[in-house]
């Protein structure tokens, strides 16, 4: 039957039409306003989940809306294809990570296409392919030459049984996730990017990111964590060098009763050489988890070094302790402890019976210390340099060569890319690259003697820090970025989960500034406007596979079609809030689309032109008032109320008194308003009704201002023949509408006092008489 809504059929047809006409492929056009809409690129985990569907539907709605406004819209898609899950899958299923990843990408790409997302697929790339990561390697070498990439020893989680480095997420309750062995801390040389050199700009530019949620800006400010403090030298008894302590509260100096060192502090290590008990304490500290949060909640432990420092003002002798909560990479790795004003210092002092001294804080003391005691003011950030080395296989090879004579030497640019071998066996015990002499044996580019390649790979956050820029020129074979980057950047609208509010966004902002300072882009920030979508919940809890309560988007698409899934996910809640899953909601969405379908088939096709009604009827005024509200809601990204507005429009258009002209005007407007959300059904109905072109290229509907003007006349209202009120009604109001307005009048309601009218007589343009 032709009149039945068959989503699978019309969605296939619409997608074939878009594909044939290359509707979403885009090139630079200086005559149009550009709009770059980007949803965070997915990790190819295997199949789309509801969170993905929500994220990408939001991006798609925004893209369509701006395209219909006449803007030149770029909406690309690609794959964040390196990472640990591929290695874990390889261990479990004995499939090489590359093969597993490509298979997942093929499946998920087909799902995106089935959902009808309007991507410019010409720009698709995978971050695990050399045509992408070679530019990452090239850029790293530029950073190395500028001193913005450097190598230093750093502590990692070490699994002594598997003989491998573990990522933080592979440490479960202090033990290796596979072996169950107690994890140790081990120092190994690693590569770092100097994000701290940009700390001040990363902080101050947040003030200009007015298109970002305030919550995200606050999280970034806290993460960067700027504080102003003082480095104060404390003279040591029987030692030439003073201990430099860092404090943000120099005013509390008079309450200091002991000094505490990080376990890695050189003075602690030196003292331990003559003191076996201290040595074993320092070793014990190595087993503790690294994460800052863990350091804050661990039991406070310490040991006296036996050394003494001299209080710079009072000259009192203060014991020097080692404490497990002092971080070596914050300040100087040494602090002055003030138990009377600091809860943590107090807990420690009580545990180890250290003195607690009441004191009066002194705000000018910092000035005195700077002048008399060689103290130095120092701005400190909580932000640390970014460790980008991973002792893993499935990642971008770090393009460095370790020469026994010359030290670290960059791979010559003409030798890039350093290819990652794709056919390997993953055992879970260390990186396979370390067992591949054909990969790591090479010669030093400087002295031409035998040398070895770096076998570490980059943190996958490196790939996702600049992908947004590469989408502008993915076919560029000779450069990382070209002029097209400056046409499209910054991204006008970025969409992604709140879980990326800190690291990903901070690293991408950092990279953008690095690209700018390398002359590759001319803007300061990568993302102008940011939308952070809420989670998808079921029964009030986050969907998780382990709980078995996932909703498979594919099954829903197969049953109801892509438009219903898109419609439900947009209608169920505002974008920033969490979305509560409901089967009834999905069915409701499907019912609405069926109703729209039936209604559109009931009005007669009129060909390419239709005549808009000239006069402003009351229904038409209500209609355009709602259109005005919907346009406002599109601008502020409140798409759920866009849909409720569209439902009201369909109700109005379904009224008996609607003229054929108004029905067609209304259909043309309603289909365009719904097109960004449900592009397939609107594409079909638009063509069926004979409107010009195709709906996704139609201009955005405008409110007819003349329809909003109200011509009214005054009528008198009588109750049992007695004048009781005067009312304003539209000149073209029907008798039913006039009755309704009269009965809603306050003084009429008072007069009726709850009595039901027996009869209502409307004398057109004169009066209303109510008989009770
Ligand atoms: Zn050399």
């Amino acid at each position: 039957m032709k009149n039945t809504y068959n989503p699978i059929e019309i969605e296939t047809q619409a997608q074939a039409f878009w594909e044939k006409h290359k509707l979403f492929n885009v090139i630079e056009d200086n005559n149009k306003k550009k709009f770059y809409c980007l949803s965070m690129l997915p990790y190819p985990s295997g199949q789309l989940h509801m969170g993905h569907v929500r994220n990408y539907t939001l991006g798609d709605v925004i893209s369509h809306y701006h395209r219909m406004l006449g803007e030149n819209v770029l909406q690309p898609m690609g794959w964040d294809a390196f990472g640990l899950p591929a290695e874990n899958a390889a261990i479990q299923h004995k499939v090489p990570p590359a093969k597993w990843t490509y298979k997942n990408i093929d499946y998920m790409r087909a799902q995106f296409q089935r959902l009808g997302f309007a991507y410019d697929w010409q720009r698709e790339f995978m971050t695990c392919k050399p045509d992408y990561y070679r530019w990452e390697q090239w850029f790293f070498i530029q950073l190395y030459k500028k001193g913005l990439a450097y190598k230093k020893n750093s502590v990692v989680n070490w699994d002594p049984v598997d003989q491998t480095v573990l990522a933080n997420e592979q440490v479960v309750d202090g033990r290796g996730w596979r072996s169950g062995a107690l994890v140790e801390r081990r120092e190994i040389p690693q590569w770092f990017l100097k994000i701290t050199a940009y700390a001040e700009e990363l902080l101050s530019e947040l003030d200009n990111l007015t298109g970002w949620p305030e919550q995200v800006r606050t999280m970034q400010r806290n993460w960067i964590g700027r504080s102003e403090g003082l480095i104060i030298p404390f003279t040591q008894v029987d030692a030439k060098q003073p201990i430099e302590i860092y404090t943000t509260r120099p005013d509390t100096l008079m309450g200091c009763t002991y000094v505490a060192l990080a376990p890695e502090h050189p003075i602690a290590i030196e003292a331990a050489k003559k003191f076996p008990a201290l040595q074993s304490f320092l070793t014990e500290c190595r087993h503790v988890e690294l994460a800052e949060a863990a350091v804050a909640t661990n039991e406070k432990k310490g040991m006296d070094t036996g050394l003494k420092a001299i209080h710079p003002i009072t000259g009192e002798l203060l014991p020097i302790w080692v404490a497990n909560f002092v971080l070596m990479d914050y300040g100087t790795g040494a602090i002055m402890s003030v138990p009377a004003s600091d809860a943590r210092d107090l807990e420690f002092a009580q545990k180890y019976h250290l003195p607690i001294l009441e004191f009066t804080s002194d705000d000018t003391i910092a000035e005195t210390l700077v002048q008399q005691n060689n103290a130095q003011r120092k701005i400190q950030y909580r932000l640390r340099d970014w460790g980008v080395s991973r002792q893993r296989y499935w990642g971008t090879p770090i393009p460095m060569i370790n020469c026994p004579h010359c030290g670290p030497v960059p791979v010559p640019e003409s030798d890039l890319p350093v290819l990652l071998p794709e056919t390997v066996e993953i055992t879970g015990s260390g990186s396979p690259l370390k067992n591949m002499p054909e990969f790591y044996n090479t010669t030093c580019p400087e002295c031409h003697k035998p040398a070895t390649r770096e076998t570490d790979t980059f943190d996958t956050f490196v790939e996702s820090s600049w992908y947004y820029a590469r989408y502008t020129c993915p076919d560029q074979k000779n450069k990382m970025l070209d002029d097209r980057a400056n046409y499209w950047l910054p991204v006008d609208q970025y969409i992604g989960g709140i879980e990326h509010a800190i690291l990903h966004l901070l690293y991408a902002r950092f990279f953008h500034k690095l690209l700018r300072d390398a002359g590759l882009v001319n803007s300061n920030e990568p993302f102008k406007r940011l939308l952070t979508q809420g989670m998808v919940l079921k029964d009030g809890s986050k969907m998780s596979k382990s709980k078995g309560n996932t909703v498979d988007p594919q099954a829903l698409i197969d049953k109801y079609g892509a438009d219903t899934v898109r419609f439900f996910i947009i209608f169920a809640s505002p974008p920033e809030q969490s979305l509560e899953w409901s089967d009834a909601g999905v069915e409701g969405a499907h019912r609405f689309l069926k109703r729209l379908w039936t209604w559109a088939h009931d009005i007669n096709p009129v060909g390419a032109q239709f005549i808009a009604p000239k006069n402003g009827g009351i229904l038409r005024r209500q209609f355009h008032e709602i259109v005005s509200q919907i346009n406002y809601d599109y601008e502020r990204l409140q798409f759920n109320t866009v849909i409720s507005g569209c439902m009201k429009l369909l109700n109005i258009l379904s009224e008996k008194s609607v003229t054929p002209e108004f029905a067609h005007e209304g259909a043309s407007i309603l289909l365009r308003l719904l097109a960004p959300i449900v592009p397939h059904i609107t594409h079909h109905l638009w063509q069926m009704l004979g409107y010009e072109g195709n709906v996704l290229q139609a201009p955005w509907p405008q409110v007819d201002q003349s329809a909003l003007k109200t011509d009214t006349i005054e009528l008198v209202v009588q109750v049992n023949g007695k004048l009781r009120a005067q009312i304003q009604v539209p000149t073209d109001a029907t008798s039913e509408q006039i009755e309704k307005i009269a009965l809603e009048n306050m003084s009429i309601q008072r007069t009726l006092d709850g009595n039901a009218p027996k009869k209502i007589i409307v004398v057109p343009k004169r009066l209303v008489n109510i008989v009770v």
Side-chain angles (χ1 to χ4, degrees):
M1 228 171 50
K2 261 211 140 80
N3 206 0
T4 308
Y5 174 41
N6 180 341
I8 310 295
E9 191 185 315
I10 64 152
E11 288 175 5
T12 311
Q13 285 167 358
Q15 287 164 14
F17 178 91
W18 301 331
E19 171 64 26
K20 185 181 162 203
H21 296 274
K22 307 255 172 280
L23 222 58
F24 312 124
N25 292 357
V26 70
I27 52 163
E28 301 69 43
D29 178 351
N30 285 315
N31 296 318
K32 278 184 174 177
K33 188 181 169 198
K34 68 93 182 175
F35 190 84
Y36 183 178
C37 182
L38 182 64
S39 299
M40 290 180 187
L41 91 174
Y43 177 76
S45 52
Q47 53 187 0
L48 295 184
H49 55 67
M50 272 302 162
H52 284 130
V53 177
R54 189 180 193 198
N55 193 34
Y56 300 116
T57 302
L58 287 168
D60 206 44
V61 171
I62 296 169
S63 294
H64 280 308
Y65 170 61
H66 281 270
R67 193 178 295 103
M68 290 173 77
L69 287 176
E71 294 168 19
N72 194 28
V73 175
L74 167 60
Q75 188 186 214
M77 179 47 64
W79 308 93
D80 193 10
F82 276 137
L84 200 53
E87 288 188 48
N88 294 345
I91 298 165
Q92 275 187 330
H93 308 302
K94 306 271 177 235
V95 193
K99 208 176 158 191
W100 182 83
T101 303
Y102 299 144
K103 190 176 138 245
N104 289 349
I105 288 174
D106 284 343
Y107 186 78
M108 290 168 76
R109 187 194 298 109
Q111 288 190 304
F112 278 139
Q113 287 167 341
R114 180 64 194 83
L115 281 160
F117 294 139
Y119 297 133
D120 181 351
W121 285 107
Q122 296 179 117
R123 295 169 187 264
E124 177 191 12
F125 56 70
M126 305 174 190
T127 60
C128 64
K129 292 279 196 182
D131 57 357
Y132 182 81
Y133 68 66
R134 70 166 294 161
W135 297 112
E136 191 164 301
Q137 294 175 332
W138 173 83
F139 195 57
F140 179 82
I141 292 168
Q142 313 312 308
L143 297 178
Y144 176 76
K145 288 176 181 168
K146 282 184 170 180
L148 288 166
Y150 65 92
K151 201 175 191 180
K152 74 164 184 191
N153 279 352
S154 178
V155 182
V156 293
N157 303 307
W158 176 256
D159 185 323
V161 170
D162 270 352
Q163 294 283 303
T164 191
V165 175
L166 300 175
N168 280 339
E169 60 269 29
Q170 292 176 310
V171 180
V172 182
D173 296 329
R175 292 174 183 275
W177 67 296
R178 283 185 70 231
S179 68
L182 212 52
V183 170
E184 295 175 6
R185 299 168 88 181
R186 182 173 275 209
E187 269 206 352
I188 58 168
Q190 302 199 66
W191 288 98
F192 285 81
L193 292 183
K194 214 169 183 177
I195 190 171
T196 52
Y198 286 81
E200 189 59 53
E201 193 191 342
L202 287 167
L203 183 70
S204 61
E205 282 275 343
L206 286 171
D207 296 341
N208 300 327
L209 293 177
T210 50
W212 284 37
E214 189 49 48
Q215 180 199 9
V216 175
R217 294 200 283 170
T218 303
M219 285 160 89
Q220 294 228 340
R221 276 189 198 103
N222 292 342
W223 188 262
I224 296 166
R226 184 185 192 276
S227 60
E228 288 178 17
L230 210 58
I231 294 178
I232 310 171
F234 278 45
T235 307
Q236 262 193 90
V237 177
D238 300 331
K240 283 188 185 137
Q241 291 296 323
I243 297 183
E244 295 196 319
I245 66 93
Y246 179 74
T247 181
T248 56
R249 295 288 310 274
D251 60 299
T252 65
L253 178 61
M254 298 310 286
C256 172
T257 59
Y258 63 101
V259 168
L261 306 176
E264 299 87 359
H265 196 285
I267 292 174
I269 292 167
E270 192 56 35
K273 285 180 184 165
K274 293 165 243 162
F275 188 1
L278 184 59
Q279 185 62 60
S280 36
F281 177 67
L282 297 189
T283 310
E284 184 194 325
C285 288
R286 275 196 201 112
H287 288 280
V288 176
E289 268 186 83
L290 287 179
E292 198 173 330
V295 171
T297 53
N298 279 337
E299 189 194 348
K300 313 279 175 286
K301 283 185 183 170
M303 187 171 281
D304 193 348
T305 61
L307 304 172
K308 298 271 189 281
I310 298 168
H311 192 288
I313 305 285
T314 64
E316 292 270 337
L317 291 188
L318 307 174
I320 301 175
W321 281 63
V322 177
N324 66 349
F325 59 80
V326 182
L327 298 172
M328 189 59 216
D329 56 3
Y330 182 79
T332 57
I335 60 165
M336 61 175 214
S337 296
V338 187
S341 85
D342 182 286
R344 190 187 56 187
D345 293 349
L346 178 63
E347 187 188 328
F348 191 84
Q350 285 170 335
K351 179 169 178 180
Y352 293 105
H353 309 290
L354 289 157
I356 299 159
L357 182 64
E358 294 299 329
F359 68 100
T360 314
S361 86
D362 180 354
D363 287 333
T364 60
I365 202 157
E367 204 51 50
T368 318
L369 288 166
V370 169
Q371 283 169 11
Q372 297 174 8
N373 300 66
N374 299 320
Q376 291 172 329
R377 293 188 194 280
K378 191 183 177 195
I379 290 166
Q380 172 77 33
Y381 296 92
R382 188 174 161 277
L383 183 67
R384 303 269 72 95
D385 276 344
W386 176 13
V388 291
S389 298
R390 294 292 177 273
Q391 295 70 39
R392 316 233 64 92
Y393 155 71
W394 189 234
T396 300
I398 297 180
M400 297 296 291
I401 291 166
N402 297 311
C403 172
H405 310 282
C406 314
V409 181
V411 171
E413 287 174 26
S414 55
D415 291 352
L416 294 178
V418 179
L419 288 173
L420 181 75
E422 290 198 352
T423 317
V424 294
E425 201 199 331
I426 311 273
T427 59
S429 174
S431 164
L433 296 180
K434 287 196 186 297
N435 303 320
M436 296 175 82
E438 67 274 29
F439 174 78
Y440 64 71
N441 276 342
T442 186
T443 49
C444 170
E446 281 180 12
C447 70
H448 306 290
K449 287 178 184 159
T452 54
R453 282 187 197 289
E454 184 64 73
T455 54
D456 283 359
T457 55
F458 283 133
D459 177 5
T460 56
F461 271 121
V462 181
E463 283 90 61
S464 57
S465 291
W466 68 282
Y467 77 104
Y468 64 89
R470 184 67 184 176
Y471 277 140
T472 66
C473 52
D475 55 353
Q476 176 53 263
K477 290 187 167 54
N478 304 315
K479 288 182 192 177
M480 186 178 189
L481 299 174
D482 61 30
D483 291 347
R484 290 174 283 177
N486 284 333
Y487 173 83
W488 290 111
L489 293 173
V491 170
D492 294 276
Q493 179 70 62
Y494 199 31
I495 304 125
I498 188 77
E499 67 274 20
H500 297 295
I502 298 177
L503 291 182
H504 162 61
L505 289 171
L506 194 66
Y507 292 152
R509 296 181 59 220
F510 168 48
F511 249 77
H512 197 80
K513 293 170 196 305
L514 293 173
L515 293 169
R516 177 199 62 195
D517 292 348
L520 293 164
V521 298
N522 61 12
S523 42
N524 289 328
E525 287 284 336
F527 313 120
K528 221 162 147 179
R529 246 171 121 179
L530 173 69
L531 173 65
T532 48
Q533 56 146 358
M535 286 187 303
V536 179
L537 308 174
K538 194 187 181 193
D539 307 324
S541 63
K542 191 182 172 184
M543 281 199 191
S544 75
K545 270 190 187 153
S546 59
K547 286 181 188 157
N549 63 352
T550 53
V551 175
D552 179 11
Q554 195 56 48
L556 289 171
I557 298 165
D558 293 345
K559 186 172 177 192
Y560 296 106
D563 278 342
T564 293
V565 175
R566 296 171 60 120
F567 186 98
F568 164 74
I569 216 145
I570 291 296
F571 184 43
S573 74
E576 294 88 355
Q577 289 176 23
S578 54
L579 182 153
E580 189 88 28
W581 186 261
S582 131
D583 294 339
V586 179
E587 276 157 27
H590 195 61
R591 261 199 313 278
F592 174 80
L593 295 181
K594 278 204 280 197
R595 213 185 125 207
L596 176 72
W597 176 271
T598 308
W599 171 80
H601 279 80
D602 283 348
I603 55 175
N604 298 318
V606 285
Q609 299 294 324
F610 62 85
I611 303 150
K614 289 224 164 51
N615 56 342
I618 191 166
L619 283 179
R620 195 164 173 268
R621 183 173 72 245
Q622 286 173 0
F623 186 91
H624 278 277
E625 277 168 2
I626 297 169
V627 173
S628 167
Q629 178 64 37
I630 289 174
N631 283 346
Y632 174 66
D633 288 345
Y634 259 110
E635 266 316 301
R636 59 189 190 117
L637 313 180
Q638 289 303 296
F639 305 123
N640 58 319
T641 54
V642 164
I643 290 189
S644 46
C646 288
M647 289 171 161
K648 286 182 200 154
L649 294 185
L650 184 58
N651 287 343
I652 290 175
L653 294 172
S654 303
E655 297 239 355
K656 280 199 193 80
S657 56
V658 167
T659 62
E661 289 80 12
F662 178 35
H664 272 286
E665 183 202 17
S668 140
I669 291 175
L670 178 58
L671 292 178
R672 281 180 281 167
L673 293 175
L674 281 169
I677 300 163
V678 285
H680 308 89
I681 188 173
T682 50
H683 171 85
H684 179 93
L685 296 178
W686 183 267
Q687 290 198 330
M688 184 205 74
L689 289 170
Y691 302 142
E692 204 180 333
N694 71 81
V695 70
L696 290 178
Q697 285 178 308
W700 194 253
Q702 300 300 312
V703 174
D704 182 352
Q705 295 300 333
S706 72
L708 300 182
K709 283 195 193 117
T710 48
D711 287 332
T712 58
I713 50 165
E714 194 175 271
L715 300 182
V716 295
V717 185
Q718 301 173 341
V719 176
N720 292 337
K722 244 184 166 174
L723 177 66
R724 292 295 182 185
Q726 283 152 335
I727 55 169
Q728 296 286 329
V729 300
T731 38
D732 58 349
T734 62
S735 294
E736 291 79 28
Q737 288 160 348
I738 293 171
E739 281 182 21
K740 194 164 173 270
I741 295 167
L743 290 171
E744 280 168 359
N745 183 283
M746 284 307 288
S747 62
I748 298 299
Q749 287 195 358
R750 264 199 307 275
T751 311
L752 294 176
D753 195 23
N755 294 312
K758 288 194 184 103
K759 198 175 179 188
I760 303 172
I761 303 145
V762 177
V763 182
K765 298 191 173 144
R766 284 193 50 212
L767 62 81
V768 183
N769 190 19
I770 300 171
V771 184
V772 289

